[in-house]
Structures are given as structure tokens and as C-alpha cells.
């Protein structure tokens, strides 16, 4: 069971952290200057269920991590946290959970709204409405960039903690 949980945890976590890293440092800066491109990208990501797959994999990583802690601690989370490595694992896991909640509360809604705006921009012919939608898209992109920077920073911190925890 531990091997299965560990594989799920690592593979889902790698995808989650890697995707957030890519979105934060590569995708967002490329599309932020062009609202129509950003809209098309968001439409494409939405069509491919990006906003369901990434949080789903994040949840798999979190739940498998909790399962491993449960097994290793014999059902005693506080007992597990009493060791140095257990403390680092649990702190890192807490940081990852916080990053997940922050992303779900702020980044995901902004991305969903941007996707809807992008879809509506394709059919808008009124110049004033198009300008308004582009301005709203810009605000959402800025907010999303700020939140995802915090989220990816927390995820990198959690990843580093988990990578070194067993050696503590």
C-alpha cells in the first residue's frame, strides 16, 4: 500500500508543482500582453478540463500524502509529527495544503472568469464592450499572476521540505 501511495503522491505532486511552475513563469508572462490570445488559451485549457485535472491531481497528492502519514504514524498524526522528519513532512504537507486552498479560492475562479471572458470576446463586435472585457481580462490576469506566484513559491517550499524530510 505504501508503494502505491508513494507513487500516486510523487507523480501527482510532480504534475501539480510542475504545471504551476510552468503556468507562473512561462505561460502567464507570454499571454498577459495580448487579451485575445489569453482568451483563446483559456478557452483551450478549459476545453481540455485543465481547471478540473490540476486540482484533482493536487487532491490525489494531498490525500495520498495523508494516507502515508496515517500508515507511518500508526494512525497518530501527532505521534508522527514528534520526530524531526515527521515534523518536516507534516509542515511541508501543511504548506502544500495551504497552497492548494489559496489556488482554489483565488486563482481558479480568476482563471474560470478569464475563460468566460475570452469566450465572449470572440463574438463581441462593440468596441466599447471589447475594451471593457479586455480591461477586465487584464485585472484578472494580474490577480492570477500574483496568486499563482505565491502558490508556486509555497509548492516549491513544500517540495523542498518533503525532499529533505527523511534526512532530518
Amino acid at each position: 500500500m505504501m508503494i502505491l501511495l508513494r507513487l500516486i503522491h510523487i507523480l501527482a505532486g510532480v504534475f501539480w508543482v510542475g504545471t504551476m511552475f510552468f503556468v507562473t513563469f512561462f505561460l502567464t508572462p507570454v499571454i498577459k500582453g495580448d487579451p485575445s490570445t489569453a482568451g483563446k488559451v483559456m478557452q483551450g485549457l478549459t476545453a481540455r478540463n485543465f481547471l478540473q485535472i490540476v486540482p484533482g491531481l493536487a487532491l490525489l497528492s494531498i490525500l495520498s500524502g495523508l494516507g502515508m502519514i496515517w500508515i507511518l504514524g500508526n494512525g497518530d498524526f501527532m505521534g508522527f509529527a514528534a520526530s524531526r522528519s515527521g515534523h518536516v513532512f507534516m509542515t511541508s504537507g501543511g504548506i502544500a495544503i495551504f497552497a492548494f486552498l489559496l489556488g482554489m479560492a483565488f486563482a481558479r475562479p480568476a482563471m474560470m472568469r478569464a475563460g468566460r471572458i475570452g469566450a465572449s470576446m470572440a463574438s463581441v463586435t462593440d468596441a466599447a464592450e471589447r475594451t471593457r472585457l479586455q480591461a477586465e481580462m487584464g485585472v484578472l490576469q494580474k490577480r492570477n499572476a500574483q496568486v499563482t506566484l505565491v502558490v508556486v513559491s509555497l509548492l516549491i517550499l513544500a517540495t523542498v521540505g518533503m525532499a529533505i524530510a527523511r534526512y532530518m
Side-chain angles (χ1 to χ4, degrees), residues 50-116:
F50 178 81
L51 297 174
Q52 289 76 34
I53 291 170
V54 174
L57 289 169
L59 273 175
L60 272 176
S61 183
I62 290 167
L63 294 174
S64 59
L66 290 171
M68 286 189 294
I69 290 171
W70 182 261
I71 291 170
L72 291 172
N74 293 317
D76 181 11
F77 285 116
M78 291 303 112
F80 181 75
S83 71
R84 285 186 71 165
S85 64
H87 179 75
V88 174
F89 274 124
M90 293 209 39
T91 300
S92 300
I95 291 169
I97 291 168
F98 179 67
F100 173 75
L101 294 174
L102 191 62
M104 291 301 290
F106 297 101
R108 187 173 188 268
M111 287 182 78
M112 292 177 75
R113 177 73 183 133
R116 288 191 298 273

Short mmCIF file of all heavy atoms in Angstrom, two decimals, residues 50-116:
data_model
loop_
_atom_site.label_atom_id
_atom_site.label_comp_id
_atom_site.label_asym_id
_atom_site.label_seq_id
_atom_site.Cartn_x
_atom_site.Cartn_y
_atom_site.Cartn_z
N PHE A 50 -8.50 21.53 -17.88
CA PHE A 50 -7.33 21.91 -17.09
C PHE A 50 -7.71 22.28 -15.67
O PHE A 50 -7.04 21.90 -14.71
CB PHE A 50 -6.62 23.07 -17.78
CG PHE A 50 -5.41 23.59 -17.05
CD1 PHE A 50 -4.19 22.94 -17.16
CD2 PHE A 50 -5.49 24.74 -16.27
CE1 PHE A 50 -3.07 23.43 -16.49
CE2 PHE A 50 -4.38 25.22 -15.61
CZ PHE A 50 -3.17 24.57 -15.72
N LEU A 51 -8.81 23.05 -15.53
CA LEU A 51 -9.22 23.54 -14.22
C LEU A 51 -9.87 22.46 -13.35
O LEU A 51 -10.20 22.72 -12.20
CB LEU A 51 -10.15 24.74 -14.37
CG LEU A 51 -9.50 25.95 -15.04
CD1 LEU A 51 -10.51 27.06 -15.28
CD2 LEU A 51 -8.32 26.47 -14.22
N GLN A 52 -10.05 21.27 -13.89
CA GLN A 52 -10.51 20.13 -13.10
C GLN A 52 -9.36 19.14 -12.87
O GLN A 52 -9.24 18.57 -11.80
CB GLN A 52 -11.66 19.40 -13.80
CG GLN A 52 -12.98 20.15 -13.83
CD GLN A 52 -12.99 21.27 -14.86
OE1 GLN A 52 -12.40 21.18 -15.93
NE2 GLN A 52 -13.67 22.36 -14.52
N ILE A 53 -8.52 18.96 -13.88
CA ILE A 53 -7.45 17.96 -13.79
C ILE A 53 -6.38 18.37 -12.79
O ILE A 53 -5.99 17.57 -11.93
CB ILE A 53 -6.84 17.70 -15.18
CG1 ILE A 53 -7.87 16.98 -16.06
CG2 ILE A 53 -5.56 16.88 -15.08
CD1 ILE A 53 -7.49 16.86 -17.52
N VAL A 54 -5.91 19.61 -12.85
CA VAL A 54 -4.83 20.03 -11.95
C VAL A 54 -5.29 19.98 -10.48
O VAL A 54 -4.59 19.40 -9.65
CB VAL A 54 -4.25 21.40 -12.35
CG1 VAL A 54 -3.24 21.89 -11.31
CG2 VAL A 54 -3.60 21.31 -13.72
N PRO A 55 -6.45 20.54 -10.13
CA PRO A 55 -6.88 20.40 -8.73
C PRO A 55 -7.14 18.94 -8.34
O PRO A 55 -6.89 18.56 -7.19
CB PRO A 55 -8.19 21.20 -8.66
CG PRO A 55 -8.13 22.14 -9.80
CD PRO A 55 -7.35 21.44 -10.87
N GLY A 56 -7.60 18.13 -9.27
CA GLY A 56 -7.80 16.71 -8.97
C GLY A 56 -6.51 16.01 -8.65
O GLY A 56 -6.42 15.21 -7.70
N LEU A 57 -5.46 16.30 -9.42
CA LEU A 57 -4.15 15.72 -9.14
C LEU A 57 -3.57 16.27 -7.85
O LEU A 57 -2.91 15.54 -7.10
CB LEU A 57 -3.20 15.96 -10.31
CG LEU A 57 -3.53 15.13 -11.55
CD1 LEU A 57 -2.72 15.59 -12.75
CD2 LEU A 57 -3.30 13.65 -11.29
N ALA A 58 -3.82 17.54 -7.57
CA ALA A 58 -3.37 18.11 -6.29
C ALA A 58 -4.04 17.38 -5.13
O ALA A 58 -3.38 17.02 -4.15
CB ALA A 58 -3.69 19.60 -6.25
N LEU A 59 -5.33 17.13 -5.26
CA LEU A 59 -6.04 16.39 -4.21
C LEU A 59 -5.51 14.97 -4.06
O LEU A 59 -5.37 14.47 -2.94
CB LEU A 59 -7.55 16.35 -4.50
CG LEU A 59 -8.35 17.53 -3.97
CD1 LEU A 59 -9.80 17.43 -4.44
CD2 LEU A 59 -8.28 17.62 -2.47
N LEU A 60 -5.22 14.32 -5.18
CA LEU A 60 -4.63 12.98 -5.11
C LEU A 60 -3.30 13.01 -4.36
O LEU A 60 -3.02 12.13 -3.54
CB LEU A 60 -4.40 12.42 -6.52
CG LEU A 60 -5.53 11.67 -7.17
CD1 LEU A 60 -5.14 11.29 -8.60
CD2 LEU A 60 -5.91 10.44 -6.38
N SER A 61 -2.49 14.01 -4.64
CA SER A 61 -1.21 14.14 -3.97
C SER A 61 -1.41 14.37 -2.47
O SER A 61 -0.75 13.74 -1.64
CB SER A 61 -0.40 15.29 -4.58
OG SER A 61 0.86 15.38 -3.98
N ILE A 62 -2.33 15.25 -2.12
CA ILE A 62 -2.59 15.55 -0.71
C ILE A 62 -3.14 14.33 0.01
O ILE A 62 -2.66 13.96 1.09
CB ILE A 62 -3.56 16.75 -0.60
CG1 ILE A 62 -2.85 18.04 -1.04
CG2 ILE A 62 -4.11 16.89 0.82
CD1 ILE A 62 -3.79 19.22 -1.26
N LEU A 63 -4.14 13.69 -0.57
CA LEU A 63 -4.77 12.54 0.10
C LEU A 63 -3.81 11.36 0.22
O LEU A 63 -3.79 10.67 1.26
CB LEU A 63 -6.05 12.13 -0.63
CG LEU A 63 -7.17 13.17 -0.58
CD1 LEU A 63 -8.34 12.73 -1.44
CD2 LEU A 63 -7.62 13.40 0.87
N SER A 64 -3.00 11.11 -0.80
CA SER A 64 -2.04 10.02 -0.70
C SER A 64 -0.98 10.34 0.34
O SER A 64 -0.53 9.45 1.07
CB SER A 64 -1.41 9.72 -2.07
OG SER A 64 -0.75 10.85 -2.58
N GLY A 65 -0.58 11.61 0.45
CA GLY A 65 0.36 12.02 1.49
C GLY A 65 -0.22 11.81 2.88
O GLY A 65 0.46 11.30 3.79
N LEU A 66 -1.47 12.18 3.05
CA LEU A 66 -2.13 11.94 4.35
C LEU A 66 -2.23 10.45 4.65
O LEU A 66 -2.06 10.03 5.79
CB LEU A 66 -3.52 12.59 4.36
CG LEU A 66 -3.54 14.12 4.40
CD1 LEU A 66 -4.95 14.64 4.19
CD2 LEU A 66 -2.96 14.64 5.71
N GLY A 67 -2.50 9.67 3.61
CA GLY A 67 -2.55 8.21 3.79
C GLY A 67 -1.22 7.64 4.24
O GLY A 67 -1.16 6.77 5.12
N MET A 68 -0.14 8.13 3.64
CA MET A 68 1.19 7.66 4.05
C MET A 68 1.51 8.05 5.48
O MET A 68 2.04 7.24 6.26
CB MET A 68 2.26 8.20 3.10
CG MET A 68 2.26 7.54 1.75
SD MET A 68 3.68 7.99 0.72
CE MET A 68 3.37 9.72 0.43
N ILE A 69 1.15 9.28 5.86
CA ILE A 69 1.37 9.71 7.24
C ILE A 69 0.55 8.86 8.20
O ILE A 69 1.03 8.46 9.26
CB ILE A 69 1.05 11.21 7.41
CG1 ILE A 69 2.09 12.05 6.67
CG2 ILE A 69 0.99 11.60 8.88
CD1 ILE A 69 1.75 13.52 6.59
N TRP A 70 -0.67 8.55 7.82
CA TRP A 70 -1.54 7.72 8.66
C TRP A 70 -0.90 6.35 8.89
O TRP A 70 -0.85 5.84 10.01
CB TRP A 70 -2.91 7.57 8.00
CG TRP A 70 -3.87 6.77 8.80
CD1 TRP A 70 -4.18 5.45 8.65
CD2 TRP A 70 -4.65 7.23 9.90
NE1 TRP A 70 -5.10 5.06 9.56
CE2 TRP A 70 -5.42 6.14 10.36
CE3 TRP A 70 -4.78 8.46 10.53
CZ2 TRP A 70 -6.29 6.24 11.43
CZ3 TRP A 70 -5.66 8.56 11.59
CH2 TRP A 70 -6.41 7.46 12.03
N ILE A 71 -0.40 5.76 7.81
CA ILE A 71 0.23 4.43 7.92
C ILE A 71 1.52 4.51 8.73
O ILE A 71 1.75 3.73 9.65
CB ILE A 71 0.48 3.84 6.52
CG1 ILE A 71 -0.86 3.48 5.85
CG2 ILE A 71 1.39 2.60 6.60
CD1 ILE A 71 -0.75 3.12 4.38
N LEU A 72 2.39 5.45 8.38
CA LEU A 72 3.69 5.56 9.07
C LEU A 72 3.54 5.92 10.54
O LEU A 72 4.35 5.50 11.37
CB LEU A 72 4.59 6.59 8.37
CG LEU A 72 5.09 6.18 6.98
CD1 LEU A 72 5.79 7.36 6.31
CD2 LEU A 72 6.01 4.98 7.08
N GLY A 73 2.53 6.69 10.87
CA GLY A 73 2.29 7.10 12.25
C GLY A 73 1.35 6.18 13.00
O GLY A 73 0.92 6.51 14.11
N ASN A 74 0.97 5.05 12.39
CA ASN A 74 0.01 4.12 13.01
C ASN A 74 -1.26 4.83 13.46
O ASN A 74 -1.79 4.58 14.54
CB ASN A 74 0.67 3.38 14.18
CG ASN A 74 1.76 2.46 13.72
OD1 ASN A 74 1.61 1.75 12.72
ND2 ASN A 74 2.88 2.48 14.42
N GLY A 75 -1.73 5.74 12.62
CA GLY A 75 -2.98 6.44 12.90
C GLY A 75 -2.84 7.61 13.87
O GLY A 75 -3.82 8.22 14.26
N ASP A 76 -1.61 7.94 14.26
CA ASP A 76 -1.37 9.01 15.23
C ASP A 76 -0.59 10.13 14.55
O ASP A 76 0.65 10.09 14.50
CB ASP A 76 -0.61 8.45 16.43
CG ASP A 76 -0.33 9.50 17.50
OD1 ASP A 76 -0.89 10.61 17.43
OD2 ASP A 76 0.47 9.18 18.41
N PHE A 77 -1.30 11.13 14.05
CA PHE A 77 -0.64 12.23 13.35
C PHE A 77 0.32 12.98 14.27
O PHE A 77 1.42 13.35 13.87
CB PHE A 77 -1.67 13.21 12.76
CG PHE A 77 -2.37 12.70 11.54
CD1 PHE A 77 -3.73 12.47 11.54
CD2 PHE A 77 -1.67 12.46 10.37
CE1 PHE A 77 -4.38 12.02 10.41
CE2 PHE A 77 -2.30 12.00 9.22
CZ PHE A 77 -3.67 11.78 9.25
N MET A 78 -0.09 13.22 15.50
CA MET A 78 0.76 13.97 16.43
C MET A 78 2.00 13.15 16.82
O MET A 78 3.09 13.70 16.97
CB MET A 78 -0.03 14.37 17.68
CG MET A 78 -1.09 15.43 17.40
SD MET A 78 -0.40 16.93 16.66
CE MET A 78 -1.07 16.91 15.03
N GLY A 79 1.81 11.86 16.95
CA GLY A 79 2.96 10.99 17.24
C GLY A 79 3.95 11.01 16.08
O GLY A 79 5.16 11.04 16.29
N PHE A 80 3.43 11.00 14.86
CA PHE A 80 4.29 11.06 13.68
C PHE A 80 5.04 12.38 13.64
O PHE A 80 6.22 12.43 13.31
CB PHE A 80 3.45 10.88 12.40
CG PHE A 80 4.27 10.90 11.14
CD1 PHE A 80 5.04 9.81 10.77
CD2 PHE A 80 4.27 12.00 10.31
CE1 PHE A 80 5.80 9.82 9.60
CE2 PHE A 80 5.02 12.03 9.14
CZ PHE A 80 5.79 10.93 8.79
N ALA A 81 4.36 13.46 13.99
CA ALA A 81 4.97 14.79 13.95
C ALA A 81 6.01 14.99 15.05
O ALA A 81 6.77 15.95 15.01
CB ALA A 81 3.90 15.86 14.05
N ALA A 82 6.06 14.08 16.03
CA ALA A 82 7.02 14.23 17.13
C ALA A 82 8.46 14.01 16.67
O ALA A 82 9.39 14.58 17.25
CB ALA A 82 6.67 13.25 18.25
N SER A 83 8.66 13.22 15.62
CA SER A 83 10.03 13.04 15.11
C SER A 83 10.38 14.23 14.22
O SER A 83 9.50 14.90 13.67
CB SER A 83 10.13 11.74 14.30
OG SER A 83 9.44 11.85 13.08
N ARG A 84 11.67 14.49 14.06
CA ARG A 84 12.09 15.62 13.22
C ARG A 84 11.63 15.44 11.78
O ARG A 84 11.10 16.36 11.17
CB ARG A 84 13.61 15.77 13.27
CG ARG A 84 14.08 16.37 14.59
CD ARG A 84 15.54 16.65 14.56
NE ARG A 84 15.76 17.77 13.65
CZ ARG A 84 16.86 18.46 13.58
NH1 ARG A 84 17.86 18.14 14.35
NH2 ARG A 84 17.00 19.46 12.73
N SER A 85 11.84 14.24 11.24
CA SER A 85 11.42 14.04 9.85
C SER A 85 9.91 14.10 9.72
O SER A 85 9.38 14.67 8.77
CB SER A 85 11.98 12.73 9.29
OG SER A 85 11.46 11.63 9.98
N GLY A 86 9.20 13.53 10.68
CA GLY A 86 7.75 13.60 10.65
C GLY A 86 7.25 15.03 10.73
O GLY A 86 6.30 15.42 10.05
N HIS A 87 7.92 15.83 11.56
CA HIS A 87 7.55 17.25 11.68
C HIS A 87 7.75 17.97 10.35
O HIS A 87 6.89 18.76 9.92
CB HIS A 87 8.38 17.91 12.79
CG HIS A 87 8.09 19.36 12.96
ND1 HIS A 87 6.95 19.81 13.58
CD2 HIS A 87 8.78 20.46 12.58
CE1 HIS A 87 6.94 21.13 13.58
NE2 HIS A 87 8.06 21.55 12.97
N VAL A 88 8.88 17.70 9.67
CA VAL A 88 9.15 18.35 8.39
C VAL A 88 8.15 17.88 7.34
O VAL A 88 7.63 18.69 6.56
CB VAL A 88 10.61 18.12 7.93
CG1 VAL A 88 10.84 18.68 6.53
CG2 VAL A 88 11.58 18.74 8.93
N PHE A 89 7.86 16.58 7.30
CA PHE A 89 6.85 16.08 6.36
C PHE A 89 5.51 16.75 6.60
O PHE A 89 4.84 17.20 5.66
CB PHE A 89 6.68 14.56 6.47
CG PHE A 89 7.63 13.75 5.65
CD1 PHE A 89 8.45 12.79 6.25
CD2 PHE A 89 7.72 13.91 4.28
CE1 PHE A 89 9.33 12.03 5.49
CE2 PHE A 89 8.59 13.16 3.51
CZ PHE A 89 9.40 12.22 4.13
N MET A 90 5.09 16.83 7.86
CA MET A 90 3.77 17.40 8.16
C MET A 90 3.74 18.90 7.90
O MET A 90 2.73 19.42 7.39
CB MET A 90 3.36 17.05 9.58
CG MET A 90 3.13 15.56 9.70
SD MET A 90 1.98 14.95 10.89
CE MET A 90 0.63 16.01 10.95
N THR A 91 4.81 19.60 8.21
CA THR A 91 4.86 21.04 7.92
C THR A 91 4.81 21.27 6.41
O THR A 91 4.07 22.13 5.92
CB THR A 91 6.13 21.67 8.52
OG1 THR A 91 6.11 21.47 9.94
CG2 THR A 91 6.22 23.15 8.21
N SER A 92 5.59 20.49 5.67
CA SER A 92 5.60 20.61 4.21
C SER A 92 4.23 20.29 3.63
O SER A 92 3.75 20.98 2.72
CB SER A 92 6.66 19.68 3.61
OG SER A 92 7.93 20.02 4.09
N GLY A 93 3.60 19.25 4.16
CA GLY A 93 2.25 18.92 3.72
C GLY A 93 1.25 20.02 4.03
O GLY A 93 0.38 20.34 3.20
N GLY A 94 1.39 20.63 5.20
CA GLY A 94 0.52 21.75 5.56
C GLY A 94 0.69 22.93 4.62
O GLY A 94 -0.28 23.57 4.22
N ILE A 95 1.94 23.19 4.25
CA ILE A 95 2.22 24.28 3.30
C ILE A 95 1.58 23.97 1.94
O ILE A 95 0.98 24.83 1.31
CB ILE A 95 3.74 24.50 3.16
CG1 ILE A 95 4.29 25.09 4.46
CG2 ILE A 95 4.07 25.40 1.98
CD1 ILE A 95 5.82 25.10 4.55
N ALA A 96 1.69 22.71 1.50
CA ALA A 96 1.08 22.32 0.22
C ALA A 96 -0.44 22.43 0.27
O ALA A 96 -1.07 22.89 -0.69
CB ALA A 96 1.50 20.89 -0.15
N ILE A 97 -1.03 22.03 1.38
CA ILE A 97 -2.49 22.13 1.54
C ILE A 97 -2.91 23.60 1.51
O ILE A 97 -3.90 23.97 0.86
CB ILE A 97 -2.97 21.42 2.81
CG1 ILE A 97 -2.80 19.90 2.65
CG2 ILE A 97 -4.41 21.78 3.14
CD1 ILE A 97 -2.98 19.11 3.93
N PHE A 98 -2.15 24.45 2.19
CA PHE A 98 -2.45 25.89 2.17
C PHE A 98 -2.35 26.44 0.75
O PHE A 98 -3.21 27.22 0.30
CB PHE A 98 -1.52 26.65 3.12
CG PHE A 98 -1.75 28.13 3.13
CD1 PHE A 98 -2.93 28.67 3.62
CD2 PHE A 98 -0.79 28.99 2.63
CE1 PHE A 98 -3.16 30.04 3.60
CE2 PHE A 98 -1.00 30.37 2.61
CZ PHE A 98 -2.19 30.89 3.11
N ALA A 99 -1.31 26.02 0.01
CA ALA A 99 -1.15 26.46 -1.38
C ALA A 99 -2.35 26.01 -2.22
O ALA A 99 -2.86 26.78 -3.04
CB ALA A 99 0.15 25.90 -1.97
N PHE A 100 -2.79 24.78 -2.01
CA PHE A 100 -3.95 24.26 -2.74
C PHE A 100 -5.20 25.11 -2.45
O PHE A 100 -5.91 25.53 -3.37
CB PHE A 100 -4.21 22.80 -2.35
CG PHE A 100 -5.48 22.23 -2.91
CD1 PHE A 100 -5.57 21.89 -4.24
CD2 PHE A 100 -6.59 22.05 -2.10
CE1 PHE A 100 -6.74 21.37 -4.76
CE2 PHE A 100 -7.76 21.52 -2.60
CZ PHE A 100 -7.84 21.18 -3.94
N LEU A 101 -5.44 25.38 -1.18
CA LEU A 101 -6.63 26.16 -0.80
C LEU A 101 -6.55 27.58 -1.35
O LEU A 101 -7.56 28.13 -1.82
CB LEU A 101 -6.78 26.17 0.73
CG LEU A 101 -7.09 24.82 1.36
CD1 LEU A 101 -7.08 24.93 2.88
CD2 LEU A 101 -8.42 24.27 0.86
N LEU A 102 -5.37 28.17 -1.31
CA LEU A 102 -5.18 29.51 -1.86
C LEU A 102 -5.46 29.52 -3.36
O LEU A 102 -6.16 30.40 -3.87
CB LEU A 102 -3.74 29.96 -1.58
CG LEU A 102 -3.38 31.40 -1.82
CD1 LEU A 102 -4.18 32.33 -0.92
CD2 LEU A 102 -1.88 31.59 -1.56
N GLY A 103 -4.95 28.53 -4.07
CA GLY A 103 -5.20 28.44 -5.50
C GLY A 103 -6.67 28.23 -5.82
O GLY A 103 -7.20 28.84 -6.75
N MET A 104 -7.32 27.37 -5.05
CA MET A 104 -8.74 27.09 -5.30
C MET A 104 -9.62 28.29 -4.97
O MET A 104 -10.63 28.53 -5.63
CB MET A 104 -9.20 25.88 -4.48
CG MET A 104 -8.59 24.57 -4.95
SD MET A 104 -8.97 24.16 -6.66
CE MET A 104 -10.70 23.78 -6.53
N ALA A 105 -9.24 29.06 -3.96
CA ALA A 105 -10.06 30.20 -3.53
C ALA A 105 -9.87 31.42 -4.42
O ALA A 105 -10.81 32.21 -4.59
CB ALA A 105 -9.74 30.56 -2.08
N PHE A 106 -8.65 31.58 -5.00
CA PHE A 106 -8.38 32.81 -5.73
C PHE A 106 -7.98 32.60 -7.19
O PHE A 106 -8.52 33.25 -8.08
CB PHE A 106 -7.31 33.63 -5.00
CG PHE A 106 -7.73 34.08 -3.64
CD1 PHE A 106 -7.29 33.41 -2.50
CD2 PHE A 106 -8.60 35.14 -3.48
CE1 PHE A 106 -7.70 33.81 -1.24
CE2 PHE A 106 -9.02 35.55 -2.23
CZ PHE A 106 -8.56 34.87 -1.10
N ALA A 107 -7.01 31.73 -7.45
CA ALA A 107 -6.51 31.58 -8.82
C ALA A 107 -7.52 30.89 -9.73
O ALA A 107 -7.76 31.34 -10.85
CB ALA A 107 -5.18 30.81 -8.82
N ARG A 108 -8.09 29.80 -9.26
CA ARG A 108 -9.04 29.06 -10.11
C ARG A 108 -10.24 29.91 -10.52
O ARG A 108 -10.60 29.94 -11.70
CB ARG A 108 -9.48 27.78 -9.40
CG ARG A 108 -10.33 26.87 -10.28
CD ARG A 108 -10.58 25.54 -9.57
NE ARG A 108 -11.22 24.59 -10.43
CZ ARG A 108 -12.54 24.43 -10.51
NH1 ARG A 108 -13.34 25.16 -9.75
NH2 ARG A 108 -13.06 23.54 -11.32
N PRO A 109 -10.91 30.61 -9.58
CA PRO A 109 -12.03 31.46 -10.00
C PRO A 109 -11.61 32.53 -11.02
O PRO A 109 -12.37 32.82 -11.95
CB PRO A 109 -12.52 32.10 -8.70
CG PRO A 109 -12.09 31.15 -7.63
CD PRO A 109 -10.79 30.58 -8.11
N ALA A 110 -10.42 33.11 -10.84
CA ALA A 110 -9.96 34.12 -11.80
C ALA A 110 -9.74 33.50 -13.17
O ALA A 110 -10.09 34.10 -14.20
CB ALA A 110 -8.67 34.77 -11.29
N MET A 111 -9.17 32.30 -13.20
CA MET A 111 -8.95 31.62 -14.49
C MET A 111 -10.28 31.25 -15.15
O MET A 111 -10.42 31.36 -16.36
CB MET A 111 -8.08 30.38 -14.30
CG MET A 111 -6.63 30.70 -14.02
SD MET A 111 -5.60 29.25 -13.85
CE MET A 111 -5.40 28.81 -15.58
N MET A 112 -11.24 30.82 -14.35
CA MET A 112 -12.55 30.45 -14.91
C MET A 112 -13.23 31.69 -15.50
O MET A 112 -13.80 31.63 -16.59
CB MET A 112 -13.41 29.79 -13.85
CG MET A 112 -12.88 28.42 -13.44
SD MET A 112 -13.84 27.67 -12.12
CE MET A 112 -15.28 27.15 -13.05
N ARG A 113 -13.15 32.80 -14.77
CA ARG A 113 -13.76 34.04 -15.26
C ARG A 113 -13.05 34.50 -16.54
O ARG A 113 -13.69 34.92 -17.50
CB ARG A 113 -13.67 35.12 -14.18
CG ARG A 113 -14.21 36.47 -14.60
CD ARG A 113 -15.72 36.48 -14.68
NE ARG A 113 -16.15 37.79 -15.15
CZ ARG A 113 -17.03 37.99 -16.11
NH1 ARG A 113 -17.64 36.96 -16.65
NH2 ARG A 113 -17.35 39.19 -16.49
N ALA A 114 -11.73 34.40 -16.57
CA ALA A 114 -10.97 34.78 -17.77
C ALA A 114 -11.38 33.91 -18.96
O ALA A 114 -11.48 34.40 -20.08
CB ALA A 114 -9.47 34.67 -17.51
N GLY A 115 -11.63 32.63 -18.72
CA GLY A 115 -12.08 31.75 -19.79
C GLY A 115 -13.42 32.17 -20.34
O GLY A 115 -13.64 32.15 -21.56
N ARG A 116 -14.32 32.55 -19.45
CA ARG A 116 -15.64 33.01 -19.90
C ARG A 116 -15.53 34.32 -20.67
O ARG A 116 -16.19 34.51 -21.69
CB ARG A 116 -16.59 33.15 -18.72
CG ARG A 116 -17.04 31.82 -18.14
CD ARG A 116 -18.19 31.97 -17.15
NE ARG A 116 -17.83 32.75 -15.97
CZ ARG A 116 -17.26 32.28 -14.87
NH1 ARG A 116 -16.98 31.00 -14.78
NH2 ARG A 116 -17.01 33.06 -13.84
#
